[in-house]
Amino acid sequence: MGFDAVYYEPDVLNYQLGQMLYHKYANLPWRQIENHNRIAEMTSAHNRDFPKLKSHLIIGTRKTHRYVPNHKVSDWLVPYTSSGCRAMCLYCYLVCNYNKCAYLRLFVNREQMLDRLLKKDAVAQVPQTFEIGSNSDLLLENTITDNLRYTIERFGREARGRLTFPTKFDMVTPLLNLDHRGKTIFRMSMNPQEIISRVELGTSLLSARIHALNEMAAAGYPVGLLIAPVILLPNWKYLYGELIDRLADELSVKVIENGFIEIILMTYSFVQNAINTEAFPNAVQLLDRETMTGRGRGKYCYRNDIRGEAESFLREKLSRRLGTMPILYIS
């Protein structure tokens, strides 16, 4: 994974992971910063510079460890070892939080973060599930840090509950032989290949994602798939019907018999639209004022009647082709 510069908080070099990254990227310019959240040259950059910012690597320590209750596939959303991403999905919700500064940030104090998570797991009345991948794509991050090996095996040894994370990437080989003890739920995000190519820029092909999910199931991991985000382009019924047919034909028996499904319809924002208009002027237009309506401050979602039609279509198609896989929710 190519970067052009590293921006770092000086105390990261006091950590083992910080030293590893320093040697790994010794050939790049290292530029000292005071705080990974406030890098003036990046916050002041033009929207058109969004792809360029993605080529920078930011390294710091995570200071905020606020756990957010969740009631979907986990009990808690947990800030973990990275935020942002190298990919450039045109709908990415992290852009809503970080604006054009949704570049990859690595946090080197992983021992501190996992210690805290294990303590919360230990005192819970019943085993808890922790979503550690809501701020980044940890499978992509793992190609840089090897953090998932450390996390999955230590959690497997010491915890009662479970971890989970989603991904749009296929680099699962380093995880296949880990001693996970069934305590990490692996979830793969799926979309039609046309949407991956036009909207999920820089992510793995659909065929590679399917293969990776099959491999993880074969390695004994609990697995699920996300059809997310559902983007209602004019030919959406054809695209998602074809996707479900392909999943039914290519997913392994182990995935189909033991996995689950999550479905999330796209939410878009004026921030994303402003950045995409300047950074990707020839990209597909995701804001459709005929099918979308305002949702909160500066956000757009599909109208209730449109959402209802999509939900009915997906439920019916999935029931016929992947009926053994429960749909946990549609949001």
Side-chain angles (χ1 to χ4, degrees), residues 213-214 217-218 221-225 247-248 250-261 321-326:
L213 184 59
N214 288 341
Y221 286 87
V223 298
L225 67 88
L247 293 173
E250 298 183 24
L251 288 174
S252 68
V253 172
K254 199 161 190 177
V255 172
I256 292 174
E257 290 185 350
N258 300 293
F260 58 85
I261 298 172
R321 296 305 321 267
L322 289 168
T324 62
M325 298 184 72

mmCIF file with all atom_site columns, all heavy atoms in Angstrom, residues 213-214 217-218 221-225 247-248 250-261 321-326:
data_model
loop_
_atom_site.group_PDB
_atom_site.id
_atom_site.type_symbol
_atom_site.label_atom_id
_atom_site.label_alt_id
_atom_site.label_comp_id
_atom_site.label_asym_id
_atom_site.label_entity_id
_atom_site.label_seq_id
_atom_site.pdbx_PDB_ins_code
_atom_site.Cartn_x
_atom_site.Cartn_y
_atom_site.Cartn_z
_atom_site.occupancy
_atom_site.B_iso_or_equiv
_atom_site.pdbx_formal_charge
_atom_site.auth_seq_id
_atom_site.auth_comp_id
_atom_site.auth_asym_id
_atom_site.auth_atom_id
_atom_site.pdbx_PDB_model_num
ATOM 1   N N   . LEU A 1 213 ? -15.074 -14.637 2.101  1.00 0.00 ? 213 LEU A N   1
ATOM 2   C CA  . LEU A 1 213 ? -16.080 -15.025 3.083  1.00 0.00 ? 213 LEU A CA  1
ATOM 3   C C   . LEU A 1 213 ? -16.146 -16.547 3.199  1.00 0.00 ? 213 LEU A C   1
ATOM 4   O O   . LEU A 1 213 ? -16.236 -17.088 4.308  1.00 0.00 ? 213 LEU A O   1
ATOM 5   C CB  . LEU A 1 213 ? -17.442 -14.451 2.684  1.00 0.00 ? 213 LEU A CB  1
ATOM 6   C CG  . LEU A 1 213 ? -18.591 -14.698 3.663  1.00 0.00 ? 213 LEU A CG  1
ATOM 7   C CD1 . LEU A 1 213 ? -18.293 -14.107 5.037  1.00 0.00 ? 213 LEU A CD1 1
ATOM 8   C CD2 . LEU A 1 213 ? -19.900 -14.126 3.117  1.00 0.00 ? 213 LEU A CD2 1
ATOM 9   N N   . ASN A 1 214 ? -16.096 -17.237 2.073  1.00 0.00 ? 214 ASN A N   1
ATOM 10  C CA  . ASN A 1 214 ? -16.086 -18.704 2.108  1.00 0.00 ? 214 ASN A CA  1
ATOM 11  C C   . ASN A 1 214 ? -14.869 -19.231 2.861  1.00 0.00 ? 214 ASN A C   1
ATOM 12  O O   . ASN A 1 214 ? -14.972 -20.181 3.644  1.00 0.00 ? 214 ASN A O   1
ATOM 13  C CB  . ASN A 1 214 ? -16.091 -19.253 0.680  1.00 0.00 ? 214 ASN A CB  1
ATOM 14  C CG  . ASN A 1 214 ? -17.423 -19.067 -0.032 1.00 0.00 ? 214 ASN A CG  1
ATOM 15  O OD1 . ASN A 1 214 ? -18.448 -18.845 0.603  1.00 0.00 ? 214 ASN A OD1 1
ATOM 16  N ND2 . ASN A 1 214 ? -17.400 -19.154 -1.350 1.00 0.00 ? 214 ASN A ND2 1
ATOM 17  N N   . ALA A 1 217 ? -15.318 -18.749 6.666  1.00 0.00 ? 217 ALA A N   1
ATOM 18  C CA  . ALA A 1 217 ? -16.252 -19.739 7.211  1.00 0.00 ? 217 ALA A CA  1
ATOM 19  C C   . ALA A 1 217 ? -15.586 -21.099 7.323  1.00 0.00 ? 217 ALA A C   1
ATOM 20  O O   . ALA A 1 217 ? -15.754 -21.818 8.321  1.00 0.00 ? 217 ALA A O   1
ATOM 21  C CB  . ALA A 1 217 ? -17.503 -19.816 6.343  1.00 0.00 ? 217 ALA A CB  1
ATOM 22  N N   . ALA A 1 218 ? -14.807 -21.458 6.319  1.00 0.00 ? 218 ALA A N   1
ATOM 23  C CA  . ALA A 1 218 ? -14.108 -22.744 6.352  1.00 0.00 ? 218 ALA A CA  1
ATOM 24  C C   . ALA A 1 218 ? -13.085 -22.801 7.487  1.00 0.00 ? 218 ALA A C   1
ATOM 25  O O   . ALA A 1 218 ? -12.801 -23.876 8.021  1.00 0.00 ? 218 ALA A O   1
ATOM 26  C CB  . ALA A 1 218 ? -13.413 -22.990 5.013  1.00 0.00 ? 218 ALA A CB  1
ATOM 27  N N   . TYR A 1 221 ? -14.641 -19.369 11.526 1.00 0.00 ? 221 TYR A N   1
ATOM 28  C CA  . TYR A 1 221 ? -15.162 -18.102 12.037 1.00 0.00 ? 221 TYR A CA  1
ATOM 29  C C   . TYR A 1 221 ? -16.680 -18.044 11.866 1.00 0.00 ? 221 TYR A C   1
ATOM 30  O O   . TYR A 1 221 ? -17.209 -18.447 10.823 1.00 0.00 ? 221 TYR A O   1
ATOM 31  C CB  . TYR A 1 221 ? -14.571 -16.924 11.265 1.00 0.00 ? 221 TYR A CB  1
ATOM 32  C CG  . TYR A 1 221 ? -13.131 -16.597 11.564 1.00 0.00 ? 221 TYR A CG  1
ATOM 33  C CD1 . TYR A 1 221 ? -12.091 -17.231 10.885 1.00 0.00 ? 221 TYR A CD1 1
ATOM 34  C CD2 . TYR A 1 221 ? -12.803 -15.626 12.511 1.00 0.00 ? 221 TYR A CD2 1
ATOM 35  C CE1 . TYR A 1 221 ? -10.766 -16.920 11.142 1.00 0.00 ? 221 TYR A CE1 1
ATOM 36  C CE2 . TYR A 1 221 ? -11.480 -15.306 12.775 1.00 0.00 ? 221 TYR A CE2 1
ATOM 37  C CZ  . TYR A 1 221 ? -10.461 -15.953 12.090 1.00 0.00 ? 221 TYR A CZ  1
ATOM 38  O OH  . TYR A 1 221 ? -9.156  -15.639 12.353 1.00 0.00 ? 221 TYR A OH  1
ATOM 39  N N   . PRO A 1 222 ? -17.416 -17.535 12.849 1.00 0.00 ? 222 PRO A N   1
ATOM 40  C CA  . PRO A 1 222 ? -18.811 -17.166 12.603 1.00 0.00 ? 222 PRO A CA  1
ATOM 41  C C   . PRO A 1 222 ? -18.829 -16.053 11.553 1.00 0.00 ? 222 PRO A C   1
ATOM 42  O O   . PRO A 1 222 ? -17.977 -15.159 11.585 1.00 0.00 ? 222 PRO A O   1
ATOM 43  C CB  . PRO A 1 222 ? -19.299 -16.646 13.958 1.00 0.00 ? 222 PRO A CB  1
ATOM 44  C CG  . PRO A 1 222 ? -18.279 -17.108 14.953 1.00 0.00 ? 222 PRO A CG  1
ATOM 45  C CD  . PRO A 1 222 ? -16.987 -17.236 14.228 1.00 0.00 ? 222 PRO A CD  1
ATOM 46  N N   . VAL A 1 223 ? -19.782 -16.099 10.607 1.00 0.00 ? 223 VAL A N   1
ATOM 47  C CA  . VAL A 1 223 ? -19.747 -15.146 9.502  1.00 0.00 ? 223 VAL A CA  1
ATOM 48  C C   . VAL A 1 223 ? -21.139 -14.575 9.224  1.00 0.00 ? 223 VAL A C   1
ATOM 49  O O   . VAL A 1 223 ? -22.161 -15.177 9.531  1.00 0.00 ? 223 VAL A O   1
ATOM 50  C CB  . VAL A 1 223 ? -19.198 -15.781 8.211  1.00 0.00 ? 223 VAL A CB  1
ATOM 51  C CG1 . VAL A 1 223 ? -17.754 -16.241 8.394  1.00 0.00 ? 223 VAL A CG1 1
ATOM 52  C CG2 . VAL A 1 223 ? -20.082 -16.935 7.731  1.00 0.00 ? 223 VAL A CG2 1
ATOM 53  N N   . GLY A 1 224 ? -21.109 -13.403 8.604  1.00 0.00 ? 224 GLY A N   1
ATOM 54  C CA  . GLY A 1 224 ? -22.323 -12.779 8.110  1.00 0.00 ? 224 GLY A CA  1
ATOM 55  C C   . GLY A 1 224 ? -21.997 -11.975 6.877  1.00 0.00 ? 224 GLY A C   1
ATOM 56  O O   . GLY A 1 224 ? -20.823 -11.738 6.559  1.00 0.00 ? 224 GLY A O   1
ATOM 57  N N   . LEU A 1 225 ? -23.030 -11.563 6.163  1.00 0.00 ? 225 LEU A N   1
ATOM 58  C CA  . LEU A 1 225 ? -22.807 -10.686 5.024  1.00 0.00 ? 225 LEU A CA  1
ATOM 59  C C   . LEU A 1 225 ? -23.728 -9.481  5.129  1.00 0.00 ? 225 LEU A C   1
ATOM 60  O O   . LEU A 1 225 ? -24.855 -9.560  5.625  1.00 0.00 ? 225 LEU A O   1
ATOM 61  C CB  . LEU A 1 225 ? -22.977 -11.425 3.698  1.00 0.00 ? 225 LEU A CB  1
ATOM 62  C CG  . LEU A 1 225 ? -24.356 -11.951 3.284  1.00 0.00 ? 225 LEU A CG  1
ATOM 63  C CD1 . LEU A 1 225 ? -25.141 -10.890 2.522  1.00 0.00 ? 225 LEU A CD1 1
ATOM 64  C CD2 . LEU A 1 225 ? -24.202 -13.192 2.410  1.00 0.00 ? 225 LEU A CD2 1
ATOM 65  N N   . LEU A 1 247 ? -24.771 -14.648 -5.134 1.00 0.00 ? 247 LEU A N   1
ATOM 66  C CA  . LEU A 1 247 ? -24.433 -15.090 -3.786 1.00 0.00 ? 247 LEU A CA  1
ATOM 67  C C   . LEU A 1 247 ? -24.973 -16.497 -3.527 1.00 0.00 ? 247 LEU A C   1
ATOM 68  O O   . LEU A 1 247 ? -24.285 -17.345 -2.956 1.00 0.00 ? 247 LEU A O   1
ATOM 69  C CB  . LEU A 1 247 ? -25.002 -14.108 -2.757 1.00 0.00 ? 247 LEU A CB  1
ATOM 70  C CG  . LEU A 1 247 ? -24.389 -12.703 -2.744 1.00 0.00 ? 247 LEU A CG  1
ATOM 71  C CD1 . LEU A 1 247 ? -25.171 -11.797 -1.788 1.00 0.00 ? 247 LEU A CD1 1
ATOM 72  C CD2 . LEU A 1 247 ? -22.913 -12.746 -2.341 1.00 0.00 ? 247 LEU A CD2 1
ATOM 73  N N   . ALA A 1 248 ? -26.199 -16.755 -3.952 1.00 0.00 ? 248 ALA A N   1
ATOM 74  C CA  . ALA A 1 248 ? -26.796 -18.077 -3.744 1.00 0.00 ? 248 ALA A CA  1
ATOM 75  C C   . ALA A 1 248 ? -26.011 -19.156 -4.475 1.00 0.00 ? 248 ALA A C   1
ATOM 76  O O   . ALA A 1 248 ? -25.884 -20.283 -3.985 1.00 0.00 ? 248 ALA A O   1
ATOM 77  C CB  . ALA A 1 248 ? -28.249 -18.062 -4.208 1.00 0.00 ? 248 ALA A CB  1
ATOM 78  N N   . GLU A 1 250 ? -22.664 -18.950 -5.369 1.00 0.00 ? 250 GLU A N   1
ATOM 79  C CA  . GLU A 1 250 ? -21.222 -18.999 -5.105 1.00 0.00 ? 250 GLU A CA  1
ATOM 80  C C   . GLU A 1 250 ? -20.839 -19.069 -3.633 1.00 0.00 ? 250 GLU A C   1
ATOM 81  O O   . GLU A 1 250 ? -19.709 -19.431 -3.310 1.00 0.00 ? 250 GLU A O   1
ATOM 82  C CB  . GLU A 1 250 ? -20.541 -17.785 -5.756 1.00 0.00 ? 250 GLU A CB  1
ATOM 83  C CG  . GLU A 1 250 ? -20.684 -17.763 -7.276 1.00 0.00 ? 250 GLU A CG  1
ATOM 84  C CD  . GLU A 1 250 ? -19.959 -16.604 -7.927 1.00 0.00 ? 250 GLU A CD  1
ATOM 85  O OE1 . GLU A 1 250 ? -18.994 -16.070 -7.324 1.00 0.00 ? 250 GLU A OE1 1
ATOM 86  O OE2 . GLU A 1 250 ? -20.359 -16.224 -9.041 1.00 0.00 ? 250 GLU A OE2 1
ATOM 87  N N   . LEU A 1 251 ? -21.730 -18.719 -2.725 1.00 0.00 ? 251 LEU A N   1
ATOM 88  C CA  . LEU A 1 251 ? -21.408 -18.866 -1.313 1.00 0.00 ? 251 LEU A CA  1
ATOM 89  C C   . LEU A 1 251 ? -21.350 -20.340 -0.941 1.00 0.00 ? 251 LEU A C   1
ATOM 90  O O   . LEU A 1 251 ? -22.104 -21.165 -1.468 1.00 0.00 ? 251 LEU A O   1
ATOM 91  C CB  . LEU A 1 251 ? -22.453 -18.156 -0.443 1.00 0.00 ? 251 LEU A CB  1
ATOM 92  C CG  . LEU A 1 251 ? -22.424 -16.627 -0.460 1.00 0.00 ? 251 LEU A CG  1
ATOM 93  C CD1 . LEU A 1 251 ? -23.599 -16.068 0.337  1.00 0.00 ? 251 LEU A CD1 1
ATOM 94  C CD2 . LEU A 1 251 ? -21.112 -16.083 0.091  1.00 0.00 ? 251 LEU A CD2 1
ATOM 95  N N   . SER A 1 252 ? -20.471 -20.681 -0.011 1.00 0.00 ? 252 SER A N   1
ATOM 96  C CA  . SER A 1 252 ? -20.323 -22.081 0.397  1.00 0.00 ? 252 SER A CA  1
ATOM 97  C C   . SER A 1 252 ? -21.521 -22.526 1.228  1.00 0.00 ? 252 SER A C   1
ATOM 98  O O   . SER A 1 252 ? -22.276 -21.707 1.779  1.00 0.00 ? 252 SER A O   1
ATOM 99  C CB  . SER A 1 252 ? -19.049 -22.245 1.222  1.00 0.00 ? 252 SER A CB  1
ATOM 100 O OG  . SER A 1 252 ? -19.172 -21.573 2.482  1.00 0.00 ? 252 SER A OG  1
ATOM 101 N N   . VAL A 1 253 ? -21.685 -23.824 1.326  1.00 0.00 ? 253 VAL A N   1
ATOM 102 C CA  . VAL A 1 253 ? -22.756 -24.382 2.145  1.00 0.00 ? 253 VAL A CA  1
ATOM 103 C C   . VAL A 1 253 ? -22.616 -23.918 3.587  1.00 0.00 ? 253 VAL A C   1
ATOM 104 O O   . VAL A 1 253 ? -23.611 -23.619 4.264  1.00 0.00 ? 253 VAL A O   1
ATOM 105 C CB  . VAL A 1 253 ? -22.734 -25.926 2.053  1.00 0.00 ? 253 VAL A CB  1
ATOM 106 C CG1 . VAL A 1 253 ? -23.710 -26.537 3.059  1.00 0.00 ? 253 VAL A CG1 1
ATOM 107 C CG2 . VAL A 1 253 ? -23.072 -26.382 0.643  1.00 0.00 ? 253 VAL A CG2 1
ATOM 108 N N   . LYS A 1 254 ? -21.389 -23.834 4.059  1.00 0.00 ? 254 LYS A N   1
ATOM 109 C CA  . LYS A 1 254 ? -21.157 -23.426 5.448  1.00 0.00 ? 254 LYS A CA  1
ATOM 110 C C   . LYS A 1 254 ? -21.642 -22.003 5.695  1.00 0.00 ? 254 LYS A C   1
ATOM 111 O O   . LYS A 1 254 ? -22.237 -21.707 6.739  1.00 0.00 ? 254 LYS A O   1
ATOM 112 C CB  . LYS A 1 254 ? -19.676 -23.545 5.777  1.00 0.00 ? 254 LYS A CB  1
ATOM 113 C CG  . LYS A 1 254 ? -19.386 -23.603 7.269  1.00 0.00 ? 254 LYS A CG  1
ATOM 114 C CD  . LYS A 1 254 ? -18.008 -24.174 7.531  1.00 0.00 ? 254 LYS A CD  1
ATOM 115 C CE  . LYS A 1 254 ? -17.821 -24.456 9.019  1.00 0.00 ? 254 LYS A CE  1
ATOM 116 N NZ  . LYS A 1 254 ? -16.510 -25.081 9.303  1.00 0.00 ? 254 LYS A NZ  1
ATOM 117 N N   . VAL A 1 255 ? -21.401 -21.094 4.752  1.00 0.00 ? 255 VAL A N   1
ATOM 118 C CA  . VAL A 1 255 ? -21.888 -19.720 4.902  1.00 0.00 ? 255 VAL A CA  1
ATOM 119 C C   . VAL A 1 255 ? -23.412 -19.698 4.865  1.00 0.00 ? 255 VAL A C   1
ATOM 120 O O   . VAL A 1 255 ? -24.064 -19.069 5.715  1.00 0.00 ? 255 VAL A O   1
ATOM 121 C CB  . VAL A 1 255 ? -21.313 -18.817 3.797  1.00 0.00 ? 255 VAL A CB  1
ATOM 122 C CG1 . VAL A 1 255 ? -21.966 -17.435 3.843  1.00 0.00 ? 255 VAL A CG1 1
ATOM 123 C CG2 . VAL A 1 255 ? -19.800 -18.680 3.936  1.00 0.00 ? 255 VAL A CG2 1
ATOM 124 N N   . ILE A 1 256 ? -23.991 -20.392 3.892  1.00 0.00 ? 256 ILE A N   1
ATOM 125 C CA  . ILE A 1 256 ? -25.444 -20.344 3.713  1.00 0.00 ? 256 ILE A CA  1
ATOM 126 C C   . ILE A 1 256 ? -26.177 -20.977 4.889  1.00 0.00 ? 256 ILE A C   1
ATOM 127 O O   . ILE A 1 256 ? -27.237 -20.497 5.314  1.00 0.00 ? 256 ILE A O   1
ATOM 128 C CB  . ILE A 1 256 ? -25.827 -21.029 2.384  1.00 0.00 ? 256 ILE A CB  1
ATOM 129 C CG1 . ILE A 1 256 ? -25.307 -20.192 1.205  1.00 0.00 ? 256 ILE A CG1 1
ATOM 130 C CG2 . ILE A 1 256 ? -27.326 -21.221 2.278  1.00 0.00 ? 256 ILE A CG2 1
ATOM 131 C CD1 . ILE A 1 256 ? -25.494 -20.848 -0.152 1.00 0.00 ? 256 ILE A CD1 1
ATOM 132 N N   . GLU A 1 257 ? -25.611 -22.032 5.465  1.00 0.00 ? 257 GLU A N   1
ATOM 133 C CA  . GLU A 1 257 ? -26.298 -22.720 6.568  1.00 0.00 ? 257 GLU A CA  1
ATOM 134 C C   . GLU A 1 257 ? -26.086 -22.047 7.910  1.00 0.00 ? 257 GLU A C   1
ATOM 135 O O   . GLU A 1 257 ? -26.919 -22.199 8.814  1.00 0.00 ? 257 GLU A O   1
ATOM 136 C CB  . GLU A 1 257 ? -25.834 -24.176 6.641  1.00 0.00 ? 257 GLU A CB  1
ATOM 137 C CG  . GLU A 1 257 ? -26.319 -25.023 5.470  1.00 0.00 ? 257 GLU A CG  1
ATOM 138 C CD  . GLU A 1 257 ? -25.952 -26.481 5.615  1.00 0.00 ? 257 GLU A CD  1
ATOM 139 O OE1 . GLU A 1 257 ? -25.146 -26.804 6.527  1.00 0.00 ? 257 GLU A OE1 1
ATOM 140 O OE2 . GLU A 1 257 ? -26.472 -27.304 4.838  1.00 0.00 ? 257 GLU A OE2 1
ATOM 141 N N   . ASN A 1 258 ? -24.993 -21.292 8.080  1.00 0.00 ? 258 ASN A N   1
ATOM 142 C CA  . ASN A 1 258 ? -24.667 -20.755 9.398  1.00 0.00 ? 258 ASN A CA  1
ATOM 143 C C   . ASN A 1 258 ? -24.586 -19.228 9.458  1.00 0.00 ? 258 ASN A C   1
ATOM 144 O O   . ASN A 1 258 ? -24.523 -18.665 10.551 1.00 0.00 ? 258 ASN A O   1
ATOM 145 C CB  . ASN A 1 258 ? -23.332 -21.337 9.877  1.00 0.00 ? 258 ASN A CB  1
ATOM 146 C CG  . ASN A 1 258 ? -23.363 -22.842 9.992  1.00 0.00 ? 258 ASN A CG  1
ATOM 147 O OD1 . ASN A 1 258 ? -24.058 -23.397 10.825 1.00 0.00 ? 258 ASN A OD1 1
ATOM 148 N ND2 . ASN A 1 258 ? -22.617 -23.524 9.120  1.00 0.00 ? 258 ASN A ND2 1
ATOM 149 N N   . GLY A 1 259 ? -24.553 -18.563 8.316  1.00 0.00 ? 259 GLY A N   1
ATOM 150 C CA  . GLY A 1 259 ? -24.378 -17.124 8.307  1.00 0.00 ? 259 GLY A CA  1
ATOM 151 C C   . GLY A 1 259 ? -25.678 -16.354 8.463  1.00 0.00 ? 259 GLY A C   1
ATOM 152 O O   . GLY A 1 259 ? -26.773 -16.931 8.490  1.00 0.00 ? 259 GLY A O   1
ATOM 153 N N   . PHE A 1 260 ? -25.550 -15.053 8.559  1.00 0.00 ? 260 PHE A N   1
ATOM 154 C CA  . PHE A 1 260 ? -26.708 -14.164 8.688  1.00 0.00 ? 260 PHE A CA  1
ATOM 155 C C   . PHE A 1 260 ? -26.534 -13.002 7.717  1.00 0.00 ? 260 PHE A C   1
ATOM 156 O O   . PHE A 1 260 ? -25.478 -12.813 7.103  1.00 0.00 ? 260 PHE A O   1
ATOM 157 C CB  . PHE A 1 260 ? -26.850 -13.648 10.124 1.00 0.00 ? 260 PHE A CB  1
ATOM 158 C CG  . PHE A 1 260 ? -25.642 -12.908 10.629 1.00 0.00 ? 260 PHE A CG  1
ATOM 159 C CD1 . PHE A 1 260 ? -25.460 -11.544 10.368 1.00 0.00 ? 260 PHE A CD1 1
ATOM 160 C CD2 . PHE A 1 260 ? -24.664 -13.554 11.377 1.00 0.00 ? 260 PHE A CD2 1
ATOM 161 C CE1 . PHE A 1 260 ? -24.344 -10.863 10.820 1.00 0.00 ? 260 PHE A CE1 1
ATOM 162 C CE2 . PHE A 1 260 ? -23.536 -12.880 11.837 1.00 0.00 ? 260 PHE A CE2 1
ATOM 163 C CZ  . PHE A 1 260 ? -23.382 -11.532 11.552 1.00 0.00 ? 260 PHE A CZ  1
ATOM 164 N N   . ILE A 1 261 ? -27.598 -12.205 7.579  1.00 0.00 ? 261 ILE A N   1
ATOM 165 C CA  . ILE A 1 261 ? -27.614 -11.094 6.620  1.00 0.00 ? 261 ILE A CA  1
ATOM 166 C C   . ILE A 1 261 ? -28.012 -9.808  7.336  1.00 0.00 ? 261 ILE A C   1
ATOM 167 O O   . ILE A 1 261 ? -28.926 -9.801  8.168  1.00 0.00 ? 261 ILE A O   1
ATOM 168 C CB  . ILE A 1 261 ? -28.601 -11.373 5.472  1.00 0.00 ? 261 ILE A CB  1
ATOM 169 C CG1 . ILE A 1 261 ? -28.178 -12.622 4.685  1.00 0.00 ? 261 ILE A CG1 1
ATOM 170 C CG2 . ILE A 1 261 ? -28.706 -10.173 4.526  1.00 0.00 ? 261 ILE A CG2 1
ATOM 171 C CD1 . ILE A 1 261 ? -29.198 -13.085 3.658  1.00 0.00 ? 261 ILE A CD1 1
ATOM 172 N N   . ARG A 1 321 ? -33.924 -17.382 -2.517 1.00 0.00 ? 321 ARG A N   1
ATOM 173 C CA  . ARG A 1 321 ? -32.589 -17.851 -2.896 1.00 0.00 ? 321 ARG A CA  1
ATOM 174 C C   . ARG A 1 321 ? -31.682 -18.148 -1.703 1.00 0.00 ? 321 ARG A C   1
ATOM 175 O O   . ARG A 1 321 ? -30.780 -18.969 -1.813 1.00 0.00 ? 321 ARG A O   1
ATOM 176 C CB  . ARG A 1 321 ? -31.894 -16.822 -3.790 1.00 0.00 ? 321 ARG A CB  1
ATOM 177 C CG  . ARG A 1 321 ? -32.538 -16.569 -5.146 1.00 0.00 ? 321 ARG A CG  1
ATOM 178 C CD  . ARG A 1 321 ? -32.742 -17.838 -6.005 1.00 0.00 ? 321 ARG A CD  1
ATOM 179 N NE  . ARG A 1 321 ? -31.669 -18.803 -5.953 1.00 0.00 ? 321 ARG A NE  1
ATOM 180 C CZ  . ARG A 1 321 ? -30.626 -18.862 -6.799 1.00 0.00 ? 321 ARG A CZ  1
ATOM 181 N NH1 . ARG A 1 321 ? -30.507 -17.964 -7.755 1.00 0.00 ? 321 ARG A NH1 1
ATOM 182 N NH2 . ARG A 1 321 ? -29.718 -19.805 -6.694 1.00 0.00 ? 321 ARG A NH2 1
ATOM 183 N N   . LEU A 1 322 ? -31.872 -17.458 -0.579 1.00 0.00 ? 322 LEU A N   1
ATOM 184 C CA  . LEU A 1 322 ? -31.000 -17.657 0.586  1.00 0.00 ? 322 LEU A CA  1
ATOM 185 C C   . LEU A 1 322 ? -31.851 -17.756 1.857  1.00 0.00 ? 322 LEU A C   1
ATOM 186 O O   . LEU A 1 322 ? -31.562 -17.135 2.876  1.00 0.00 ? 322 LEU A O   1
ATOM 187 C CB  . LEU A 1 322 ? -29.995 -16.500 0.701  1.00 0.00 ? 322 LEU A CB  1
ATOM 188 C CG  . LEU A 1 322 ? -28.888 -16.463 -0.366 1.00 0.00 ? 322 LEU A CG  1
ATOM 189 C CD1 . LEU A 1 322 ? -28.138 -15.129 -0.330 1.00 0.00 ? 322 LEU A CD1 1
ATOM 190 C CD2 . LEU A 1 322 ? -27.905 -17.626 -0.190 1.00 0.00 ? 322 LEU A CD2 1
ATOM 191 N N   . GLY A 1 323 ? -32.878 -18.551 1.775  1.00 0.00 ? 323 GLY A N   1
ATOM 192 C CA  . GLY A 1 323 ? -33.876 -18.584 2.841  1.00 0.00 ? 323 GLY A CA  1
ATOM 193 C C   . GLY A 1 323 ? -33.380 -19.084 4.185  1.00 0.00 ? 323 GLY A C   1
ATOM 194 O O   . GLY A 1 323 ? -34.014 -18.827 5.212  1.00 0.00 ? 323 GLY A O   1
ATOM 195 N N   . THR A 1 324 ? -32.257 -19.830 4.208  1.00 0.00 ? 324 THR A N   1
ATOM 196 C CA  . THR A 1 324 ? -31.748 -20.327 5.484  1.00 0.00 ? 324 THR A CA  1
ATOM 197 C C   . THR A 1 324 ? -30.962 -19.282 6.246  1.00 0.00 ? 324 THR A C   1
ATOM 198 O O   . THR A 1 324 ? -30.643 -19.495 7.423  1.00 0.00 ? 324 THR A O   1
ATOM 199 C CB  . THR A 1 324 ? -30.851 -21.564 5.265  1.00 0.00 ? 324 THR A CB  1
ATOM 200 O OG1 . THR A 1 324 ? -29.722 -21.191 4.456  1.00 0.00 ? 324 THR A OG1 1
ATOM 201 C CG2 . THR A 1 324 ? -31.610 -22.683 4.588  1.00 0.00 ? 324 THR A CG2 1
ATOM 202 N N   . MET A 1 325 ? -30.650 -18.167 5.601  1.00 0.00 ? 325 MET A N   1
ATOM 203 C CA  . MET A 1 325 ? -29.856 -17.124 6.259  1.00 0.00 ? 325 MET A CA  1
ATOM 204 C C   . MET A 1 325 ? -30.799 -16.072 6.837  1.00 0.00 ? 325 MET A C   1
ATOM 205 O O   . MET A 1 325 ? -31.508 -15.381 6.080  1.00 0.00 ? 325 MET A O   1
ATOM 206 C CB  . MET A 1 325 ? -28.888 -16.467 5.272  1.00 0.00 ? 325 MET A CB  1
ATOM 207 C CG  . MET A 1 325 ? -27.862 -17.431 4.691  1.00 0.00 ? 325 MET A CG  1
ATOM 208 S SD  . MET A 1 325 ? -26.650 -16.599 3.609  1.00 0.00 ? 325 MET A SD  1
ATOM 209 C CE  . MET A 1 325 ? -25.686 -15.699 4.841  1.00 0.00 ? 325 MET A CE  1
ATOM 210 N N   . PRO A 1 326 ? -30.868 -15.926 8.137  1.00 0.00 ? 326 PRO A N   1
ATOM 211 C CA  . PRO A 1 326 ? -31.778 -14.937 8.741  1.00 0.00 ? 326 PRO A CA  1
ATOM 212 C C   . PRO A 1 326 ? -31.348 -13.512 8.417  1.00 0.00 ? 326 PRO A C   1
ATOM 213 O O   . PRO A 1 326 ? -30.149 -13.199 8.397  1.00 0.00 ? 326 PRO A O   1
ATOM 214 C CB  . PRO A 1 326 ? -31.676 -15.225 10.241 1.00 0.00 ? 326 PRO A CB  1
ATOM 215 C CG  . PRO A 1 326 ? -30.336 -15.849 10.404 1.00 0.00 ? 326 PRO A CG  1
ATOM 216 C CD  . PRO A 1 326 ? -30.081 -16.645 9.174  1.00 0.00 ? 326 PRO A CD  1
#
